[in-house]
Amino acid sequence: MATAKKSRKRTASKPIASGDSSARERTPVVKTATRKAAAADPRAARVAARQRRLQDQEKAKDARAAAKKAATKKAAKKATQAGSRKQPDTMPAQHIAKPGNEHELDLAPRFLAPDYVGSGKLQGKRAIITGGDSGIGRAVAVLFAREGADVAVLHLDEQEDAEITRQHVEAEGTRCVVIAGDVRDPKFCNRAVKQVAKAFGGVDILVNNAAFQLHCERLEDLEDAHLQETLQTNIGGYIQMARAVLPHLEEGDCIINTGSETGLFGSKALIDYSATKGAIHAFTKALASQLLPRGIRVNAVAPGPVWTPLNPADKQAPDVAEFGKNSDMGRAAQPEELSPAYVFLASPVTASYISGVVLPVMGGPHGK
């Protein structure tokens, strides 16, 4: 038997010719640890036991995290308050008709920024603000005036809101001109700019802020009239106003455009609106490059959710009540929290070396 074993061992180790038919019948032996051998190895058993223990620990952690997440989800998200005064964190369940009158809102947007002290950053400047009757535009108009600028408020047809804005601008001690019209119309843009230049003796600052927003859940349902209203107001109007005002701007003057977080991240129910806001950001950068040799700065502000007539004039009442709650700060901003950013970009004292930027003011890095 021993001889036979030695013989088989020698045969197995002997090289096999490629043409040998017996080579096709034999399967090469691969030396690997069998399950039985691994089980008998105390080191392998310890490793397996350790891995299962680690797995059990992670399962327990996951269970605790899931329970904590569920409890947190049930509890209302606490809104972040980081300003000089506490801002509203709950919006009213209200829907209003377009174009949206601020005086109709159950919760009046805050625009006065009572803790903001002017220091003459815009002394002697003359500004045009489209959509200046309400929302961000009104808040910007008030702070521009507090910093010493004369302000022209352009609006569509919200006469009562525009008059309120005029009163607050004049209360700050500067002049105010109110002009109604449609920024989609290039003739209106040219006429309005000429009227302001005549009234103030020139124009130094343009704030493009007028906007149209209307949700649409499916792209297939986006009608041509809806699409054109958004495109011509939000980007067409910006380009036309800039074109009309440029002959009046000189070195040291500036243009500020209102973009949006939707231009950075998109919004699935606001395809056309998001597209125009992205276009505004690109327009800002392109025009900044073109006007740099002339010493004219062009920048943009990209707000997150802000309590203005724009959203209650779009969303249904239950959705308005939730507006801003998904933002990083757990609430919508008030217009007075945005307006200082416009002062910063408008003033040659604070932003003389800043052009072509899109400044996000979204309450956090992710917006809503």
Side-chain angles (χ1 to χ4, degrees):
M1 292 295 290
T3 303
K5 287 182 179 178
K6 288 180 181 179
S7 176
R8 286 196 297 271
K9 186 176 181 180
R10 286 195 297 270
T11 303
S13 61
K14 182 180 179 181
I16 301 171
S18 59
D20 192 345
S21 60
S22 62
R24 292 192 296 270
E25 297 174 358
R26 290 205 279 291
T27 302
V29 177
V30 180
K31 294 181 179 181
T32 58
T34 63
R35 184 186 299 271
K36 184 177 180 181
D41 185 345
R43 292 172 299 177
R46 287 196 299 271
V47 170
R50 183 173 69 248
Q51 291 180 354
R52 286 193 294 271
R53 184 170 63 254
L54 293 171
Q55 182 184 40
D56 290 341
Q57 289 174 353
E58 289 305 314
K59 285 181 179 179
K61 290 178 184 178
D62 290 344
R64 289 194 295 270
K68 185 177 180 180
K69 185 177 180 180
T72 304
K73 191 173 181 180
K74 289 181 181 179
K77 181 178 179 180
K78 185 178 179 181
T80 300
Q81 300 288 344
S84 59
R85 64 171 176 163
K86 185 177 180 180
Q87 301 291 358
D89 55 17
T90 301
M91 302 297 106
Q94 182 185 15
H95 176 74
I96 60 176
K98 283 193 175 299
N101 289 303
E102 186 158 312
H103 68 270
E104 294 179 5
L105 293 177
D106 292 338
L107 176 65
R110 292 182 173 183
F111 62 90
L112 285 173
D115 298 317
Y116 183 100
V117 179
S119 58
K121 293 184 182 66
L122 300 175
Q123 194 67 43
K125 297 292 185 180
R126 299 150 298 186
I128 295 175
I129 304 174
T130 69
D133 56 290
S134 62
I136 294 173
R138 175 187 284 180
V140 172
V142 170
L143 284 201
F144 274 20
R146 194 171 299 171
E147 290 290 0
D150 294 325
V151 180
V153 172
L154 273 56
H155 68 102
L156 188 60
D157 71 346
E158 306 90 339
Q159 190 63 37
E160 184 174 340
D161 283 350
E163 285 301 321
I164 293 173
T165 302
R166 182 210 294 269
Q167 293 170 16
H168 284 285
V169 167
E170 292 177 344
E172 298 290 343
T174 62
R175 296 177 293 176
C176 185
V177 171
V178 175
I179 306 172
D182 185 0
V183 294
R184 297 179 308 164
D185 180 4
K187 292 181 180 179
F188 164 73
C189 296
N190 289 320
R191 187 171 63 251
V193 169
K194 289 178 181 178
Q195 182 177 340
V196 174
K198 183 177 180 180
F200 294 159
V203 180
D204 307 293
I205 303 168
L206 168 65
V207 176
N208 275 318
N209 177 69
F212 175 80
Q213 173 187 309
L214 184 63
H215 70 278
C216 182
E217 298 295 338
R218 293 174 5 115
L219 184 60
E220 304 95 308
D221 298 331
L222 182 63
E223 296 183 1
D224 288 344
H226 176 174
L227 175 61
Q228 290 305 316
E229 192 76 20
T230 309
L231 294 175
Q232 296 305 322
T233 302
N234 296 3
I235 183 62
Y238 279 38
I239 293 174
Q240 286 164 179
M241 281 299 303
R243 186 173 59 187
V245 82
L246 269 175
H248 301 270
L249 300 185
E250 299 177 351
E251 185 178 49
D253 295 340
C254 69
I255 296 172
I256 304 173
N257 299 315
T258 299
S260 170
E261 64 174 7
T262 64
L264 299 172
F265 306 120
S267 177
K268 64 181 180 181
L270 295 171
I271 295 291
D272 55 322
Y273 181 83
S274 299
T276 60
K277 290 301 181 176
I280 289 167
H281 297 171
F283 168 60
T284 297
K285 294 175 182 293
L287 189 59
S289 296
Q290 185 182 105
L291 298 182
L292 194 59
R294 295 162 62 176
I296 300 170
R297 298 179 300 105
V298 185
N299 293 293
V301 177
V306 187
W307 182 239
T308 74
L310 193 65
N311 281 280
D314 176 16
K315 303 176 184 292
Q316 294 303 310
D319 295 328
V320 175
E322 298 298 314
F323 180 59
K325 290 190 178 296
N326 291 330
S327 69
D328 287 344
M329 283 200 174
R331 64 175 178 85
Q334 291 295 315
E336 67 182 16
E337 296 180 278
L338 271 293
S339 50
Y342 289 79
V343 173
F344 167 73
L345 292 175
S347 174
V349 175
T350 55
S352 62
Y353 203 65
I354 300 175
S355 191
V357 307
V358 177
L359 178 62
V361 188
M362 306 183 302
H366 308 103
K368 62 181 177 181

